[in-house]
Amino acid sequence: MNDSVTASLALPGLLDGPGPRLADHLAAYGPLPPADAVEVAARAGLTGRGGAGFPTAVKLRSVAAAAGATHRTPVVIANAAEGEPAAAKDAVLLATAPHLVLDGLQLVAGSLGADTVVLAAPGRVLPALGAHLAARPDGPSVRLHRAADRFLAGEESALVSAVEGGEPLPRSKFPAIRERGVDGRPTLVANVETLARLALLARGDAGAAGRALVTRRVEIGRTPVTDVADVHLGARLGDVLRIDDDVPAVLVGGYHGTWLPAQVARDVRLGREDLADVGASLGAGVLAALPAGRCGLRETARVIGYLAAESAGQCGPCLNGLPRIAAALALLARPGRVDGGLIDDVSRWCGLVAGRGACRHPDGSVRLVASALHVFAGELARHRAGRCSATDARAFLPVPAVRA
Amino acid sequence: MTPTWIWYLNRATGIVALVLMTLTLVLGVVVQRQRRLPGLPRFGVVTLHRNVSLLSALLLVVHIVSAVIDSYVSISPLAVLLPFTSAWRPLPVGLGTLAVDLLVVIVVTSLLRGRIPVRLWRGIHWTSYALWPLAFVHGLTAGTDLGSGWALGIALACAGAAGVATALAWTGRDTNPADRAPAALAETTSALARGARVAVFRNR
């Protein structure tokens, strides 16, 4: 145990390593020691960093069990298909410490006996990744997959479908991907940060499971600033994110996340249970402090408009529900008289779509709507009286143009 | 000699079955293209497709039984399932037999749809497009009095409808699923801007 403590003191974290080159990586972290990924993940209680926070050891065990039961070789997919426009942690991690991710991938693939190993990432980061792979002895065994530029591209089943050569659309979770994924084989889809943390844990950095990468977005001097930080899960949100006194609310978790009033956000800790107590979760790791002078309803309406257009269009509740919610929210986000029943309609529609899609896109989208209607209730009333507290019409949260 | 009404029954059920099978095919294409019929929700089109197909299968049972017991033509019970074994016009009757065999497989797999792999069901369901021409040629060639004209007219009208529906089905879906949501968003936004009600879901 003493060894691991000393080792953890000597090892740099995910983002303060020496840089992306293999020689520097080996000098700083040392070679990957032989280890069993399941044991490493179980001992540290590591949870997935793709958004759902599922225990990694449980996932690994069920893939291994499915492989044993079906006598089929499993597939491992490292997921860096970060479709969330506000998130940048996976891209930054791959640019800073690609070899930690690839070590984690190697560890997991070895422990599961996988013969197909895929790293899925947006097209813009692939050339650099190709060069890093070429430097490694296990490089040729990893297949790079170009992930689609869509919000849902990183959704587990959509990614599996794309890796199979199909459209990047989510599909039914029965049977689960970990039992029957790529070509019907047991498939592990793991976020790249989860894999990098496994690589640190295997080297004895016992604290790696207690930290998380977050993408922070704040406005400093009328300029939006985005950065990625490796933060402790026990930290106060107010210590991690710059929340100025005049900030009205903080978005926690990204576009499938939750708005929290600033006074609640400042003191909440980032642990899973602490965030759950205030109805939030770290999700994709996005923390954004809404600057003063911006209208939270207008920001939410723009995000929901984007999310509605990014629906895969497969499940009725999502296809019929999200565009209606988005269109209604766009009306409510502007000052002026609206049909009095519209807010009730939005609340009712939100209840009608949750839990009724092949994926969790509708659930996450209405979670954001519900928290906005709650946190910005005062603003909602102001809008209906024909006023808006916004003094700055510029958009704060990044939203790509809606596909025509 | 069996009475002549059996012959009439056989001919009538054959013609009506062809019309209903054509209707089934057209409805199947409406289902596949995810279109609606006036006054019917989408699941209503699916139910109609299924019920019309089952009705045509029922008519086929009457058609087959009457053909076997009719003494004017000599068709053994074996020839009902085994193609080209009929003493009466083996080739035309055999085509009808093939169609019946296909139909049995399609109906059985559709009734078991929830219990078999979807891909298996879909693969078998595509053979419907072979079933219809078999039944059509059987109808033109196995019958005893096509000459009067109106029966031929019905058959050709059915062929036209089936041809158009098939062409539509094989050209594929008209919208990519990923394009549906932006379209729905634009539609709803303009409806709300006009002050139209959007609380109703599409299936009303």
Side-chain angles (χ1 to χ4, degrees):
Chain A
M1 214 54 213
N2 261 335
D3 287 353
S4 65
V5 173
T6 12
S8 73
L9 288 176
L11 280 182
L14 285 187
L15 298 182
D16 46 12
R21 287 184 51 235
L22 181 61
D24 299 339
H25 164 79
L26 288 176
Y29 297 99
L32 181 69
D36 179 46
V38 182
E39 204 179 296
V40 170
R43 201 180 326 122
L46 181 65
T47 51
R49 297 304 154 87
F54 193 77
T56 306
V58 176
K59 207 183 208 179
L60 283 165
R61 277 199 199 101
S62 54
V63 173
T70 57
H71 301 292
R72 302 198 64 179
T73 325
V75 177
V76 174
I77 303 178
N79 188 359
E82 209 169 20
E84 171 96 35
K89 71 171 180 83
D90 292 344
V92 167
L93 175 65
L94 284 177
T96 320
H99 290 290
L100 277 180
V101 174
L102 294 171
D103 279 351
L105 194 53
Q106 184 191 340
L107 178 69
V108 165
S111 301
L112 290 176
D115 64 349
T116 307
V117 183
V118 181
L119 173 52
R124 62 181 183 278
V125 307
L126 289 185
L129 282 179
H132 296 314
L133 274 176
R136 294 171 65 93
D138 67 329
S141 66
V142 178
R143 197 175 103 205
L144 288 177
H145 171 82
R146 186 200 167 100
D149 284 327
R150 301 210 41 192
F151 187 80
L152 292 176
E155 198 273 339
E156 190 178 44
S157 59
L159 188 57
V160 164
S161 166
V163 166
E164 284 176 346
E167 289 286 313
L169 298 175
R171 55 193 191 199
S172 164
K173 302 299 180 299
F174 301 101
I177 295 297
R178 51 185 191 272
E179 287 166 19
R180 232 185 281 170
V182 176
D183 298 330
R185 292 155 65 188
T187 301
L188 178 87
V189 179
N191 176 261
V192 284
E193 185 194 339
T194 316
L195 295 171
R197 294 205 176 276
L198 264 179
L200 284 182
L201 290 169
R203 288 180 167 95
D205 179 357
R211 305 179 71 85
L213 292 184
V214 292
T215 313
R216 303 182 289 195
R217 190 170 176 86
V218 295
E219 196 173 72
I220 302 171
R222 285 182 57 82
T223 312
V225 177
T226 304
D227 69 347
V228 174
D230 186 14
V231 302
H232 202 270
L233 285 174
R236 274 174 72 245
L237 207 164
D239 295 336
V240 166
L241 183 73
R242 176 180 154 152
I243 307 175
D244 292 337
D245 290 340
D246 52 359
V247 161
V250 176
L251 178 64
V252 178
Y255 293 172
H256 277 176
T258 315
W259 285 106
L260 292 179
Q263 65 271 21
V264 175
R266 269 186 201 100
D267 293 321
V268 74
R269 289 182 189 279
L270 291 177
R272 193 177 174 75
E273 285 80 17
D274 301 285
L275 280 176
D277 284 345
V278 294
S281 91
L282 202 51
V286 172
L287 304 171
L290 183 71
R294 303 293 175 88
C295 173
L297 285 174
R298 206 183 289 175
E299 291 293 331
T300 309
R302 281 179 41 254
V303 169
I304 296 297
Y306 163 73
L307 292 179
E310 284 293 306
S311 162
Q314 297 185 122
C315 307
C318 189
L319 176 62
N320 283 305
L322 294 192
R324 278 192 175 74
I325 293 168
L329 213 57
L331 275 189
L332 294 171
R334 288 200 302 263
R337 291 242 140 260
V338 289
D339 178 6
L342 200 55
I343 298 174
D344 294 338
D345 278 345
V346 170
S347 306
R348 193 164 48 82
W349 297 337
C350 285
L352 285 173
V353 303
R356 296 177 67 192
C359 71
R360 295 285 173 191
H361 185 56
D363 308 51
S365 305
V366 300
R367 181 161 52 230
L368 182 68
V369 175
S371 73
L373 292 181
H374 177 66
V375 170
F376 303 118
E379 186 68 23
L380 208 52
R382 220 168 291 137
H383 283 192
R384 298 192 59 189
R387 287 176 290 117
C388 177
S389 61
T391 54
D392 193 338
R394 293 175 305 151
F396 173 64
L397 294 172
V399 168
V402 168
R403 291 173 302 119
Chain B
M1 271 309 261
T2 46
T4 49
W5 65 263
I6 291 189
W7 179 83
Y8 279 114
L9 181 69
N10 179 255
R11 194 176 65 149
T13 49
I15 291 173
V16 178
L18 182 70
V19 172
L20 288 185
M21 278 163 70
T22 309
L23 189 58
T24 305
L25 195 139
V26 171
L27 287 169
V29 173
V30 175
V31 170
Q32 187 240 12
R33 297 294 292 257
Q34 302 191 323
R35 290 303 181 83
R36 293 176 50 196
L37 296 177
L40 267 188
R42 250 181 226 148
F43 69 87
V45 184
V46 179
T47 315
L48 196 61
H49 167 68
R50 188 178 60 203
N51 287 350
V52 171
S53 68
L54 289 176
L55 191 60
S56 70
L58 198 66
L59 283 176
L60 275 183
V61 172
V62 180
H63 178 69
I64 292 162
V65 170
S66 57
V68 171
I69 60 176
D70 189 359
S71 60
Y72 180 69
V73 293
S74 153
I75 302 172
S76 70
L78 189 68
V80 170
L81 288 175
L82 215 56
F84 313 116
T85 54
S86 157
W88 164 259
R89 297 193 180 171
L91 187 65
V93 172
L95 293 179
T97 305
L98 271 182
V100 167
D101 291 342
L102 267 183
L103 185 96
V104 169
V105 176
I106 291 169
V107 168
V108 168
T109 51
S110 290
L111 292 176
L112 292 174
R113 193 185 161 177
R115 296 171 182 274
I116 61 175
V118 177
R119 277 184 199 173
L120 177 67
W121 169 83
R122 190 182 292 126
I124 290 173
H125 224 73
W126 277 106
T127 62
S128 316
Y129 289 106
L131 162 65
W132 194 91
L134 284 174
F136 177 72
V137 176
H138 161 82
L140 290 190
T141 53
T144 48
D145 74 328
L146 203 63
S148 55
W150 59 268
L152 186 64
I154 290 177
L156 290 181
C158 285
V164 170
T166 306
L168 278 176
W170 287 69
T171 52
R173 293 257 185 91
D174 41 17
T175 56
N176 180 356
D179 295 334
R180 285 181 213 144
L185 183 59
E187 192 184 306
T188 317
T189 305
S190 75
L192 273 178
R194 289 196 311 271
R197 270 181 66 75
V198 295
V200 283
F201 270 42
R202 287 184 171 187
N203 284 338
R204 195 172 303 160

